[in-house]
Amino acid sequence: MTDKKKTPEMLRSARWFAPDDLRAFGHRSRAMQMGYAPEEWKGRPVIAILNTWSDAQPCHMHFKSRVDDVKRGVLMAGGFPMELPALSLSESFLKPTTMLYRNLLAMDAEELLRGHPVDGVVLMGGCDKTTPALLLGATSMGLPAIYLPAGPMLRGNWKGKTLGSGSDAWKYWDERRAGKISDKDWVDVEAGIARSYGTCMTMGTASTMTAIAEAIGMTLPGASSIPAADAGHIRMASESGRRIVEMVWEDLTPNKIQTRQAFENAITVAMAMGCSTNAIIHLIAQARRAGQDIGLDDFEKASRKVPVIANVRPSGDKYLMEDFFYAGGLPGLMGRIKEHLHLDCVTVTGKTLGENIARAEVHDDDVIRTVANPIYAEGALAVLKGNLAPDGCVIKPSACEPRFLKHTGPALVFDDYPSMKKAIDDPDLDVTADHVLILRNAGPQGGPGMPEWGMLPIPTKLVKQGVRDMVRLSDARMSGTSYGACILHVSPESYIGGPLALVKNGDTITLDVAARTINLDISEAEMEKRRAAWTRPETRFERGYGWMFTRHIRQANEGCDFDFLETSFGAPVGEPSIY
């Protein structure tokens, strides 16, 4: 039995249903209109299920039925389930970028919970931005919440070769551009790379963020690693429904789970997993919503001490998330880095992280390596600073050619994606493998929305010469399934006058990952001269959501949240009036 701290009359939903007045009469009457009897909700926690299913969301195809599994669990535990559809952010289809709408889903989630008669919530997400967005909204609202990850899809397959989301798309696209695979092969790769519902099965942003949710303590143990098509995923959904009812009675809210130590655990786990670069932006935003002072320096500290031990692509060379699950999943990985974790952090189970992973095992030492035998000696990400990125930028050294970890090369600059895309295919483009390709005006305001353009394509001329990696620099993001010597999130962004806006073709740029530096090799006097001559680009939006976005979006190093949504902006929003 759960340790109850609440009684039925203390339930938030009782404000809607319990009073003997005309307004509550209306609430009860409308519930009965839907066929529910008073016995089904009276004295029971009402559990919201925020479902991000849609017909345009391949990662969440199974949520249409999985929500029924959650409801089954809620009912078993004595709760009353209420499904509330939330904005669905499909990484595959939504343009110009899902990052433009992450904060919109966060607002949707927060206001859905605030305005409805609910006591707790199951958050159903998984595709890249849905995880941070739902957690942002639930954190701000403060009701008991548990996260239900969509789970990774099954391995891809083509001609007996295992295919990984994104990573092999980039790989075989280069092979096609080089004339090494046929049009028929390309269509077969398209058909074979995504064979089931679920999120990308590489260690992309989706699996990174669901694992981070688990590391923070917001999912059931092991939930983030279960493949979407596995029967265990159905059982996990039902268990999440049962557990959230108990959490309501226990009054186990996100603020009791999301401590600074919990976010430090998430950063540590992310580094060991070979995480997506997007982890930085989302984790900083979520920590700030929780009132915790997490920043780039925390990632840098973890990067220096936590090795990458998850041999999962793109940082790894062979395995995918299905293999990771069979090898022991996230509990197995956390069991191997215990010395770097705060094991006393409370989780949604009501138990500590240490208790949750006490019996974790690893069943394949090549998929989940030991600390003594990592696939990369330092953490997955490195934060670089210098005169080109005073507020920082990020590289994923575990997924790029080692020769680029210390590099000096001439800049080849593009001011927008269309001009870059056109130039890349020019056989006469004046470019070598030593050049530093630069894309600017692609940040939070410049993109707009900081699209995943940061993995600039290798010029076709070089692809045909066998070149498969080179240094690329931008204020954009890149897909977590991407790889290569891509330097991203340059802050401040060029669109608002950051130093990236001042680079000219032929300027030399020097990066040193070991020293954590990146610099434009010109004098400060020359830098100031260029800054004085710089003019701001045209305004992106004159109305609508985009207008609001560009006036309130934070920079990448601050998490790209809206300033007015951060905890520090103003007093907490109270409960809605019911008259």
Side-chain angles (χ1 to χ4, degrees):
M1 294 291 291
T2 188
D3 179 23
K4 288 192 177 184
K5 294 183 179 178
K6 283 189 174 181
T7 56
E9 63 272 13
M10 295 170 64
L11 293 173
R12 181 174 181 269
S13 57
R15 297 182 63 233
W16 276 259
F17 293 113
D20 184 13
D21 61 21
L22 186 59
R23 186 59 62 203
F25 162 85
H27 300 147
R28 294 189 296 268
S29 173
R30 293 303 184 180
M32 295 178 77
Q33 178 186 2
M34 294 187 286
Y36 299 115
E39 292 78 11
E40 295 184 68
W41 73 76
K42 188 175 181 181
R44 300 173 182 266
V46 178
I47 303 300
I49 306 171
L50 295 197
N51 188 357
T52 51
W53 173 89
S54 92
D55 271 333
Q57 179 53 284
C59 301
H60 298 179
M61 289 164 56
H62 53 316
F63 278 2
K64 197 169 188 176
S65 61
R66 204 65 90 239
V67 67
D68 292 330
D69 304 312
V70 179
K71 289 179 180 179
R72 185 176 76 248
V74 172
L75 291 168
M76 286 176 65
F80 181 74
M82 180 182 289
E83 181 183 0
L84 299 175
L87 181 65
S88 190
L89 305 180
S90 171
E91 206 69 25
S92 306
F93 295 119
L94 187 59
K95 302 298 183 238
T97 169
T98 52
M99 190 61 188
L100 187 65
Y101 302 106
R102 183 200 71 180
N103 296 342
L104 186 61
L105 174 54
M107 295 169 71
D108 186 21
E110 180 178 350
E111 299 307 323
L112 278 172
L113 297 176
R114 177 170 289 112
H116 285 90
V118 297
D119 302 295
V121 58
V122 177
L123 306 165
M124 297 181 65
C127 191
D128 295 13
K129 309 308 177 296
T130 58
T131 301
L134 290 170
L135 287 170
L136 286 168
T139 297
S140 291
M141 183 55 204
L143 296 180
I146 192 168
Y147 191 76
L148 193 165
M153 69 177 89
L154 300 177
R155 303 183 194 94
N157 185 276
W158 172 64
K159 291 187 175 181
K161 298 184 175 104
T162 298
L163 298 181
S165 304
S167 299
D168 278 314
W170 323 130
K171 173 184 173 181
Y172 286 108
W173 177 244
D174 281 346
E175 295 303 303
R176 188 176 185 228
R177 292 164 67 212
K180 295 184 178 181
I181 66 171
S182 68
D183 288 350
K184 173 64 167 57
D185 285 337
W186 183 242
V187 172
D188 290 343
V189 170
E190 288 178 355
I193 202 167
R195 298 188 302 113
S196 77
Y197 47 75
T199 59
C200 293
M201 81 303 267
T202 42
M203 189 61 77
T205 303
S207 286
T208 291
M209 294 312 302
T210 55
I212 281 173
E214 181 174 337
I216 291 172
M218 293 299 293
T219 80
L220 294 173
S224 68
S225 310
I226 306 172
D230 193 290
H233 194 272
I234 298 173
R235 293 190 291 271
M236 180 270 293
S238 181
E239 187 180 349
S240 295
R242 294 193 297 274
R243 178 58 195 151
I244 189 60
V245 176
E246 296 172 344
M247 289 174 66
V248 170
W249 291 125
E250 295 166 7
D251 197 28
L252 183 53
T253 51
N255 66 307
K256 297 172 183 175
I257 296 170
Q258 295 186 130
T259 62
R260 178 176 175 82
Q261 289 72 30
F263 286 106
E264 289 175 350
N265 282 344
I267 294 171
T268 296
V269 168
M271 290 298 173
M273 289 165 51
C275 66
S276 164
T277 50
N278 289 305
I280 289 184
I281 288 175
H282 300 317
L283 254 176
I284 290 174
Q286 191 178 339
R288 290 167 78 120
R289 287 287 189 102
Q292 308 299 337
D293 59 341
I294 293 294
L296 289 178
D297 289 345
D298 295 291
F299 287 87
E300 177 53 29
K301 290 174 186 174
S303 175
R304 293 293 194 178
K305 65 182 182 180
V306 183
V308 178
I309 63 170
N311 189 11
V312 179
R313 299 171 61 192
S315 288
D317 58 3
K318 183 177 180 181
Y319 301 108
L320 297 170
M321 288 302 297
E322 193 175 345
D323 307 295
F324 182 71
F325 172 66
Y326 298 144
L330 198 67
L333 178 140
M334 289 194 286
R336 290 206 153 162
I337 56 170
K338 281 183 178 179
E339 67 271 25
H340 297 300
L341 297 173
H342 303 286
L343 298 176
D344 57 346
C345 287
V346 175
T347 71
V348 292
T349 64
K351 300 177 181 178
T352 65
L353 178 66
E355 290 174 306
N356 287 348
I357 65 172
R359 297 184 180 181
E361 296 180 315
V362 172
H363 312 298
D364 189 326
D365 288 334
D366 193 38
V367 180
I368 302 175
R369 301 283 188 87
T370 63
V371 172
N373 181 36
I375 67 164
Y376 188 74
E378 291 190 344
L381 309 181
V383 176
L384 313 181
K385 291 186 178 181
N387 70 355
L388 197 51
D391 294 332
C393 58
V394 61
I395 187 173
K396 191 174 183 177
S398 61
C400 73
E401 290 188 16
R403 65 192 179 98
F404 291 122
L405 299 181
K406 189 171 185 178
H407 180 76
T408 297
L412 180 57
V413 184
F414 301 100
D415 285 322
D416 57 71
Y417 200 92
S419 61
M420 181 275 296
K421 187 176 181 180
K422 181 179 179 181
I424 287 300
D425 291 328
D426 183 352
D428 298 319
L429 183 66
D430 186 12
V431 63
T432 69
D434 289 329
H435 269 85
V436 177
L437 300 184
I438 293 178
L439 175 66
R440 57 192 178 201
N441 298 316
Q445 294 197 36
M450 206 178 178
E452 290 184 341
W453 294 343
M455 187 184 175
L456 278 65
I458 306 294
T460 302
K461 169 183 174 179
L462 298 180
V463 169
K464 291 181 176 180
Q465 296 172 12
V467 175
R468 293 297 182 268
D469 198 7
M470 62 190 298
V471 177
R472 287 153 282 178
L473 177 65
S474 75
D475 44 18
R477 298 176 301 110
M478 77 174 182
S479 167
T481 65
S482 301
Y483 53 87
C486 300
I487 302 165
L488 312 153
H489 308 182
V490 173
S491 298
E493 65 176 304
S494 56
Y495 187 83
I496 63 172
L500 193 64
L502 311 179
V503 182
K504 294 182 178 180
N505 285 329
D507 287 344
T508 58
I509 291 172
T510 298
L511 71 122
D512 186 336
V513 173
R516 300 296 198 262
T517 58
I518 184 164
N519 286 292
L520 175 61
D521 298 328
I522 63 174
S523 67
E524 183 58 32
E526 176 63 18
M527 185 83 84
E528 287 302 318
K529 179 181 176 183
R530 295 184 186 185
R531 184 172 287 113
W534 177 79
T535 56
R536 188 183 181 96
E538 292 183 6
T539 301
R540 290 290 193 210
F541 296 99
E542 296 292 339
R543 63 169 298 280
Y545 174 73
W547 181 90
M548 181 182 77
F549 181 97
T550 54
R551 280 154 180 76
H552 295 284
I553 192 69
R554 294 286 198 185
Q555 287 292 290
N557 63 301
E558 300 172 306
C560 292
D561 203 357
F562 289 154
D563 54 10
F564 62 83
L565 293 178
E566 291 185 339
T567 304
S568 59
F569 187 82
V573 180
E575 288 287 350
S577 299
I578 301 177
Y579 296 119

